[in-house]
Amino acid sequence: METPHRVSTLELFFDLVFVFTITQLTVLLADDISFRGAGRVLVIFTVLFWMYGGYAHLTNQVPPDRTVRRVLLILAMGAFLVCALAVPTAFGAGGAAFGLGYLFVVLVHSALYTQAHGSGVLWFALPNVLCALAVLAAGFFDGPPAWALWALALLIQFVVPQLVQRAAASRAEPDEGVTTVSDQLGGMSAEHLVERHGLLLIIVFGESVIAIGIGTGSLPLSAGIAGGAFLALAVASALWWMYFVRDEGRAEEVFAETAPEKRFKLAMLAYYYAFLPMLLGIAAFAAGVKKTIGHLGEHLHTGPAFALAGGVAVYLAGDLAFRAVLGIGPARFRLAALVLVLATVPVGTGVAGLWQLVALVGVLLGTLGAEVRWTPGCQGAVTGSG
């Protein structure tokens, strides 16, 4: 029987600071809705979310219940804040500041983990440091060299830890038991893991609503803007419903039933690779609303229309991956919704932004209704969940 392990208020405070990076990425994308802008948002957040996941797993294993740990975690929050402030210029004048902040995030993470695992953290700490150094170096270049260094950082981030871990496992004796820190991390608390990422997601929803409000700027509050804001909130609420009403509880059940030594790998698949597009999708949708809210009665440019539909589609793609990894639900309705939301782009460009939002709400509500009608057990989940 596992000892209950809840998310602490300091961890929630940490998440509030981290989510500011997503707010900044929303601003970055809204200022440059293009393939180049989307590429910048993707690589920046992929690197940042890697270390967020590192801290989520860290506090699962090393709770911030001592003064030294709390102080170090607060210092890491400060470093994430520096990264967030530098996000809009991470590919320009703020690149070095972003890199230094990220390097400090990595160093604090490694220092905290040594309290639980000693020198065994080197197999993932050294690649993380190399990744941070590549990001820092990218801050001193422009154009293709900067992109190449960011690509190197991603390569180090994803490939090197796997190679090192496999090499360490291959050299270990069969009777040694635990061969790497990854095996030790497998004992993570299922309850804490699911709760931590659920809280992150709800904070991202909240920050995105705030970003939408900021997007209205000094515009007078007309019936059109109020209606558009309500529709944007309806889309966000439908996306919230898709995860929190059924999937979150099912996810905790799956992790609780998974052998402790297998949870780390499952957590990486569900709460890093699948969660990454879900979070980016919310940010992209918010960026689209910011560019649309003042032009609801007009034909939209392709960028804002695609940000609205693409953001929802990317979220749904991540949600489908999350469900597939955990085996917690049918895919057909949400897969159909992904296709249909992309089909709303011509509505925005050919009719008006207001009607594209109406179409998005219709698709998502129709999907939820279809699941209640034709998915066994979904009705009980909907009526019995909070």
Side-chain angles (χ1 to χ4, degrees):
M1 188 73 177
E2 292 185 6
T3 302
H5 181 189
R6 309 299 300 186
V7 175
S8 68
T9 55
L10 181 56
E11 291 171 83
L12 183 58
F13 190 14
F14 181 96
D15 290 355
L16 287 168
V17 174
F18 171 76
V19 167
F20 181 48
T21 65
I22 301 178
T23 303
Q24 290 287 79
L25 288 169
T26 299
V27 173
L28 179 63
L29 183 60
D31 289 342
D32 183 14
I33 300 182
S34 65
F35 287 114
R36 183 185 67 173
R40 289 178 174 178
V41 168
L42 179 62
V43 297
I44 292 172
F45 188 63
T46 300
V47 166
L48 287 174
F49 192 51
W50 176 267
M51 284 312 302
Y52 172 83
Y55 275 90
H57 293 149
L58 164 71
T59 52
N60 191 293
Q61 294 289 303
V62 188
D65 54 5
R66 303 176 188 175
T67 299
V68 172
R69 294 177 183 177
R70 290 167 181 157
V71 170
L72 287 173
L73 199 59
I74 291 171
L75 290 175
M77 290 162 55
F80 263 124
L81 182 60
V82 170
C83 291
L85 292 170
V87 159
T89 56
F91 276 79
F98 182 95
L100 287 171
Y102 188 70
L103 178 60
F104 193 75
V105 166
V106 169
L107 293 175
V108 172
H109 178 263
S110 301
L112 279 164
Y113 247 132
T114 57
Q115 296 192 23
H117 302 296
S119 61
V121 305
L122 291 177
W123 76 267
F124 65 81
L126 288 179
N128 284 343
V129 171
L130 291 174
C131 173
L133 290 174
V135 171
L136 176 59
F140 295 95
F141 295 92
D142 295 314
W147 281 99
L149 286 165
W150 276 96
L152 175 62
L154 293 176
L155 183 66
I156 294 171
Q157 177 177 292
F158 290 116
V159 176
V160 173
Q162 298 298 322
L163 296 177
V164 173
Q165 185 180 7
R166 291 179 182 180
S170 67
R171 290 197 302 269
E173 297 296 330
D175 59 349
E176 286 185 355
V178 176
T179 57
T180 66
V181 177
S182 177
D183 297 318
Q184 299 175 42
L185 297 184
M188 64 178 59
S189 164
E191 182 182 55
H192 179 276
L193 178 74
V194 175
E195 182 184 18
R196 180 76 185 270
H197 287 85
L199 288 171
L200 172 67
L201 188 61
I202 198 66
I203 294 170
V204 172
F205 275 121
E207 285 291 312
S208 296
V209 171
I210 292 172
I212 292 169
I214 294 173
T216 63
S218 58
L219 294 173
L221 182 59
S222 64
I225 289 179
F230 181 83
L231 289 169
L233 180 61
V235 171
S237 298
L239 298 180
W240 169 88
W241 196 290
M242 287 182 167
Y243 176 81
F244 285 100
V245 169
R246 186 165 185 249
D247 290 2
E248 184 183 41
R250 294 286 303 280
E252 186 171 334
E253 292 174 3
V254 171
F255 274 99
E257 294 167 0
T258 300
E261 65 274 10
K262 296 181 179 180
R263 288 179 187 167
F264 179 73
K265 182 177 180 180
L266 188 63
M268 283 296 298
L269 293 173
Y271 284 115
Y272 181 75
Y273 292 105
F275 239 54
L276 185 65
M278 291 174 69
L279 297 171
L280 284 173
I282 297 170
F285 174 74
V289 174
K290 285 183 67 176
K291 300 295 288 186
T292 302
I293 198 74
H295 309 279
L296 289 168
E298 305 172 12
H299 298 293
L300 298 180
H301 294 294
T302 302
F306 192 76
L308 289 174
V312 176
V314 169
Y315 178 94
L316 290 171
D319 178 68
L320 285 166
F322 182 84
R323 285 186 147 206
V325 166
L326 299 179
I328 59 174
R332 61 187 186 278
F333 297 115
R334 298 189 185 191
L335 182 59
L338 190 156
V339 175
L340 290 174
V341 297
L342 289 175
T344 67
V345 172
V347 177
T349 57
V351 185
L354 177 66
W355 291 107
Q356 184 179 4
L357 285 172
V358 170
L360 287 171
V361 172
V363 169
L364 295 175
L365 292 183
T367 301
L368 291 171
E371 289 184 345
V372 170
R373 176 66 177 82
W374 288 293
T375 301
C378 190
Q379 178 66 46
V382 170
T383 58
S385 296

